[in-house]
Amino acid sequence: MELRDYLRIARRRWLLIALTAIIAVGAAVALTVTTTPQYASTARVFVSTSPDTSAEAYQGGLFSQQRVASYADMMNGLELAQRVVDQLGLHLSAGELSGMISASAVPNTVLLNITVTDPSATQAQRINGAVVTQLKSMVGDLETPPGGKHPLLKVSVVDPPSLSTSPVSPKPTRNVGLGLVLGLLLGFGLAVLREILDTSVKNIHEVHGFNDVPLLASLPHDPEVHKQPLISSLASHAPRAESFRVLRTNLQFLDVDSDSKALVVTSSVPNEGKSTTAVNIAIALAEAKKSVLLLDADLRRPQVGQLLGLESAVGLTTLLVGEIKIYEALQEHQPSGLKVITAGAVPPNPAELLQSNAMRDLLIDLRRRYDIVIIDAPPLLPVTDAALLSAEADGALLLVRHGKTTKDQVTGAVERLHGVDAAPLGVIMNMVPRKRGIRGKYGYGYGYGYGYGYAPDAADIKPTRKQKREAKELAKQEAKRAKRAKKSAHS
């Protein structure tokens, strides 16, 4: 990974990183609050000899330095601790007390620092005083030669045991700071791990082999879509309605030389918003005064009739078995003027009906009658219906749900299409977070729509400079495409 990849992960997973850091800081605070405060008492002693000459003093100094290092280690011994326990009558074992005592020799000196920690500052000072006393006694016993009366070394107190006024642990600032740093590192590590394990599609070009497949639009996530699924019921400046107009514009540049088009709208798996998208594409095209027919070819879970409020008992299946004519199956969605053929009764053999000669002849007839035929088909992976229809039509518009559909599912769907000599004409990214924009081959599809998203009660709000710049850029691109399309049509 490059630095930009890590920055992208941090921007995308900032909430996970922040939550992990907050939890780590909370744990540090809880640990600080629940930890018993410890007070330290420190004493400093001087280990020396009693020389008669300067030469003896020099030798004695070297001797004392060597001994000081040994006494520093001896401070954690059980013998010294047991003597202190016996002297003070402590309700502690020698092992417990030895863990409270620490000592360090000052380099190149004969000074020894002795520290005792205890939950009570007074008790720490009292124990340290006993430690110094017992150290003097032990040094006297160890450094007195056999038969001698005076020890070779003596211990003198330089600084008596101190009485601490503030605990040495816990340290709130250090603990919280350390918790924050560790939390950020752990959160970022979890973010990277989640990014590596996350195989969902957030950019269609992340999928292998999709560099040449155009992204036609990026449809924004709208929590109100279940209440108002159709763009004909939305305000003209609503972000979702605007995004479908962008999609409508981009569809005009697919196979510009063809007089009529038959486009299958499908997805990899269920619950990606396929039927709602197909209906809204057809409505957007009909609002542009195009001759459009919406055909519900999802004979397993038909949704078009329910979404448009039309009769579903008579439709495609009735046509294919020859019970009615096309004009008898046609219905109209009054708000948009869209012509619709619903699915009809659910048959026991959908795949056989969709690959029949009757279906092939019907598509040929519909293409003669209408400029564009939008076909709502089942998902590609569970059944073969959409692949069969795509082979008879001009191709498929593959719907991909942002952050939900996996790369393997998209790859498998495309392989289904290639298996019948069909291919995806373009990709529609659905349910994109509002602040996310994805760039496609045919321009920009913004999650919040290309429009400025005026609220009904704030129509006088002016667009931002960024929105004006984006709109201007998109307008230039559309003008260039229109010029190329016109030139191609003349040639």
Side-chain angles (χ1 to χ4, degrees), residues 70-358:
S70 300
Y71 293 141
D73 293 335
M74 189 179 68
M75 299 303 296
N76 297 114
L78 297 179
E79 176 63 25
L80 177 65
Q82 188 60 54
R83 289 190 180 195
V84 175
V85 170
D86 295 339
Q87 176 186 339
L88 300 179
L90 301 175
H91 299 290
L92 296 172
S93 66
E96 292 173 336
L97 181 60
S98 65
M100 300 164 57
I101 304 171
S102 63
S104 62
V106 181
N108 300 321
T109 69
V110 292
L111 295 175
L112 183 66
N113 294 326
I114 304 170
T115 303
V116 175
T117 57
D118 189 87
S120 169
T122 305
Q123 183 72 340
Q125 184 187 38
R126 179 167 173 260
I127 293 174
N128 203 354
V131 169
V132 173
T133 300
Q134 293 303 322
L135 176 63
K136 291 180 179 180
S137 176
M138 289 186 66
V139 169
D141 295 341
L142 294 173
E143 298 296 343
T144 302
K149 295 182 179 180
H150 301 287
L152 300 177
L153 294 176
K154 66 175 182 178
V155 177
S156 303
V157 178
V158 178
D159 295 321
S162 61
L163 179 63
S164 178
T165 57
S166 59
V168 294
S169 70
K171 296 181 178 179
T173 303
R174 183 196 64 182
N175 292 350
V176 172
L178 186 61
L180 177 61
V181 172
L182 293 178
L184 290 173
L185 291 175
L186 178 60
F188 191 76
L190 292 174
V192 172
L193 179 62
R194 185 173 178 182
E195 191 75 13
I196 293 173
L197 298 178
D198 185 8
T199 61
S200 62
V201 179
K202 299 177 183 64
N203 187 327
I204 195 61
H205 295 148
E206 295 175 353
V207 182
H208 179 69
F210 263 66
N211 292 330
D212 296 329
V213 179
L215 178 65
L216 299 176
S218 177
L219 307 179
H221 173 69
D222 186 354
E224 302 296 324
V225 69
H226 296 292
K227 298 179 181 179
Q228 292 181 301
L230 305 182
I231 60 173
S232 57
S233 62
L234 301 176
S236 60
H237 51 258
R240 186 153 54 95
E242 185 62 49
S243 65
F244 274 98
R245 285 193 286 271
V246 172
L247 175 57
R248 176 184 67 196
T249 301
N250 291 337
L251 287 177
Q252 295 176 5
F253 299 99
L254 292 177
D255 193 12
V256 295
D257 294 330
S258 177
D259 295 332
S260 63
K261 302 174 185 176
L263 306 176
V264 174
V265 179
T266 183
S267 60
S268 303
V269 292
N271 301 319
E272 295 191 63
K274 165 191 62 67
S275 295
T276 304
T277 301
V279 170
N280 284 323
I281 290 173
I283 290 176
L285 290 168
E287 289 177 346
K289 307 305 179 183
K290 301 288 184 180
S291 175
V292 186
L293 173 75
L294 174 61
L295 177 63
D296 189 356
D298 189 345
L299 302 183
R300 301 174 188 270
R301 295 179 59 185
Q303 299 290 325
V304 171
Q306 180 180 353
L307 287 169
L308 295 174
L310 302 177
E311 177 60 48
S312 300
V314 176
L316 178 59
T317 54
T318 322
L319 267 174
L320 295 179
V321 297
E323 293 184 1
I324 59 174
K325 302 297 182 181
I326 291 179
Y327 69 89
E328 296 175 301
L330 285 175
Q331 299 185 63
E332 183 175 338
H333 178 240
Q334 293 296 333
S336 63
L338 172 67
K339 298 296 188 294
V340 183
I341 296 179
T342 58
V346 177
N349 56 343
E352 294 181 11
L353 283 177
L354 295 177
Q355 63 180 334
S356 64
N357 292 329

